[in-house]
Amino acid sequence: MRDAYVVGAGQSKYGSFPDESYRSLFETAVQNTVSSVDHGIETSEVDEAYVGTLGVGGRQLGLPGPAVTEHVGIAGVPVTRVENACAASGYAVRQAVMAVRSGMVDVALASGVEVMTDLSGDAVRYWLGVSGETEWERMSGTTFAGVYAQMASAHMREYGTTTEQLSHVAVKNHANGAKNPKAHLGFSCTLEDAVNAPPVADPLNLYHCCPTTDGAAAALIVSEDVVEKYTDTPVRVAGVGAASDRVGLFQRDTYTSVPAAKAAGESAYEEAGITVDDLDFAEVHDCFAIAELMAYEDLGFCPAGEAGPYIESGATRPDGELPVNTSGGLKSKGHPIGATGAGQVVEAFDQLTGRAGDRQLDDPKIGLTHNVGGSGGAAVVHVFERDDEVIDA
C-alpha cells in the first residue's frame, strides 16, 4: 500500500454570500488549493474527485459532483458525491486517500461545498434536522441544537460540567477565529458574553452554537510516486479512522460520548503508530460547545468527565499543551456542512507547512482532524504528519 500525501489545500472564505453560488464558492476553493501547491498543478492532472455535500436547500441534489468539478476544468474523470451529513467532506478526504493508497490514481481531489444562508430559519432547521433520526427526532420536532442540548444536560448531570466551562470553548475559538481572515464570525468575545448569551436549547445558548454558513474547501491528495513533482513540503496522511453508529441519539448507550468518534480516533492513532501525546494540535468538530468537550474525552486528550476542567486549564489554547481549533473551529470559522471536514484539513495543512499566518504554531509536526456527522451517526479522524524525510531528500 502506497503512502498518500496532501500537497495543497485551500478554501473560500466562510460566511454569508448572497452574490455567490455553490459553483463559484467551489471554484474559489479549488483555485486556492491549486495555488498552494509548491511546484504548481493543473486541474486537468486530477485523476478522480470526491465532493462532499448535503445539498442544503435542494440545490442540485442529483450529480452535484460533476456540476462543480466540470465548472473548474476537472472533466471526464470519475467524480463521486459523498453524503455523510456534517462529516461529508471528511469522508471525501478518506475516499481520496483510499483511492491513492490503492494504486488506482496518483492525484485525487477531496472537497466539499454548501450554501446555507439563503434559506429561512425554518428551512435551515429542516436541513440540519435531516441528519437526525427521521421518525423519532426530526419528525417529532427535535432540532439539531435540541439533540446536543440533551447531550450537554447529560454531561452536566453526570460530570458536573458547567455553563462557564461550555463558554470557555466559545471564548477560545472566537479568539482564534479573530485571527483567521476566512472565518465567518471573526470576532472575539468575553466569558461574560458567552455565559450570558440568549438561550437556544437549554442549557445551550447562542455562543454555544456554531453558525450556518456558506463555503467550500478542498485538498489535493497524491501518491508517494509523484509527491516530489508537486511539493517540497509534503504532508503525509499517517492515519485514518472512521466509524458509524445509530443515527438517533436515543438509540445509543450513552449521551455523554460519541462512540463512533472514539472508535475512529483509536483506529487513526493505531494506523499512524502514535499516541495522543504525539499530537501537536487538533481540529475537532465543535458544532456545539459540548461537542468539543466530548471530543477531548473521546480522542483521549483527557479522561472521561474531565473535559470541563481541561478547557478551563488553558491546555487547548494556542499556547497550551495541545492547541485545539486554531482555525476558530466550527464555532467561529463556520460550519458549511459539506465543506467542514475538508476545511479542517486546510487548517492542518497550513499549520504543518507554516502558512497559518497569525495563527501559526511553533514548528508543529503532527496534527489531527475530527469530523462528526449528525449527533454521531458517522465520524472520521485523520492524522497528518509533516514528512521531513521527503523534504530533506
Side-chain angles (χ1 to χ4, degrees):
M1 185 172 67
R2 302 186 302 179
D3 270 333
Y5 293 85
V6 183
V7 296
Q11 64 169 86
S12 69
K13 185 172 172 35
Y14 285 3
S16 176
F17 306 112
D19 295 330
E20 299 280 359
S21 70
Y22 71 99
R23 282 189 173 102
S24 66
L25 289 168
F26 188 84
E27 182 176 22
T28 297
V30 171
Q31 287 174 343
N32 288 339
T33 301
V34 167
S35 67
S36 72
V37 178
D38 290 339
H39 303 326
I41 191 171
E42 300 293 332
T43 55
S44 59
E45 296 177 67
V46 173
D47 299 315
E48 188 153 350
Y50 299 88
V51 180
T53 185
L54 186 65
V56 170
R59 58 177 59 76
Q60 198 55 52
L61 280 176
L63 296 176
V68 292
T69 54
E70 291 280 341
H71 181 69
V72 298
I74 300 172
V77 303
V79 180
T80 303
R81 181 262 188 96
V82 181
E83 190 285 296
N84 241 352
C86 317
S89 59
Y91 269 81
V93 173
R94 178 176 180 266
Q95 293 302 112
V97 170
M98 290 170 63
V100 167
R101 284 178 169 180
S102 73
M104 287 184 65
V105 302
D106 280 319
V107 181
L109 181 79
S111 59
V113 62
E114 211 76 69
V115 175
M116 304 180 68
T117 66
D118 60 348
L119 302 176
S120 69
D122 286 344
V124 169
R125 282 189 289 274
Y126 170 85
W127 281 99
L128 288 170
V130 300
S131 299
E133 199 276 336
T134 298
E135 293 176 302
W136 298 103
E137 287 183 348
R138 179 168 65 85
M139 292 186 71
S140 67
T142 302
T143 64
F144 201 35
V147 171
Y148 273 91
Q150 294 176 60
M151 299 165 92
S153 294
H155 206 277
M156 289 172 148
R157 182 172 58 252
E158 186 167 343
Y159 299 122
T161 306
T162 66
T163 298
E164 287 75 12
Q165 290 167 342
L166 290 171
S167 299
H168 274 288
V169 174
V171 173
K172 171 182 66 70
N173 291 351
H174 273 285
N176 292 340
K179 297 179 180 179
N180 186 349
K182 300 291 178 66
H184 186 170
L185 304 179
F187 56 82
S188 59
C189 71
T190 66
L191 185 61
E192 182 180 9
D193 292 334
V195 168
N196 296 318
V200 173
D202 189 62
L204 301 178
N205 68 36
L206 185 63
Y207 272 81
H208 301 149
C209 308
C210 71
T212 53
T213 303
D214 306 336
L220 282 161
I221 316 294
V222 310
S223 74
E224 63 183 35
D225 297 334
V226 300
V227 62
E228 292 182 63
K229 173 183 176 182
Y230 295 112
T231 186
D232 299 319
T233 56
V235 173
R236 187 170 73 93
V237 184
V240 182
S244 62
D245 201 350
R246 291 181 178 270
V247 173
L249 176 61
F250 69 94
Q251 298 170 308
R252 299 186 212 137
D253 294 332
T254 177
Y255 278 31
T256 59
S257 172
V258 177
K262 186 174 182 179
E266 290 170 351
S267 295
Y269 291 147
E270 181 178 3
E271 185 176 275
I274 66 165
T275 70
V276 66
D277 294 335
D278 295 310
L279 294 176
D280 295 312
F281 66 91
E283 287 286 303
V284 307
H285 196 92
D286 61 318
C287 49
F288 299 91
I290 187 61
E292 178 162 330
L293 296 187
M294 289 191 300
Y296 295 171
E297 298 170 4
D298 291 336
L299 296 169
F301 301 171
C302 66
E306 295 186 17
Y310 189 64
I311 182 77
E312 283 185 314
S313 75
T316 57
R317 291 198 299 252
D319 59 353
E321 64 184 44
L322 180 57
V324 174
N325 286 339
T326 54
S327 69
L330 284 63
K331 175 64 194 77
S332 175
K333 184 184 177 185
H335 184 26
I337 291 178
T340 291
Q344 292 177 323
V345 175
V346 174
E347 181 70 10
F349 177 79
D350 285 349
Q351 288 289 350
L352 291 170
T353 58
R355 307 172 198 231
D358 292 341
R359 308 182 312 285
Q360 183 62 52
L361 300 172
D362 183 19
D363 196 33
K365 294 181 173 59
I366 299 177
L368 173 148
T369 62
H370 156 272
N371 191 199
V372 175
S375 63
V380 59
V381 174
H382 290 90
V383 175
F384 299 96
E385 178 181 29
R386 194 180 74 202
D387 199 330
D388 292 329
E389 290 185 9
V390 173
I391 294 171
D392 295 338

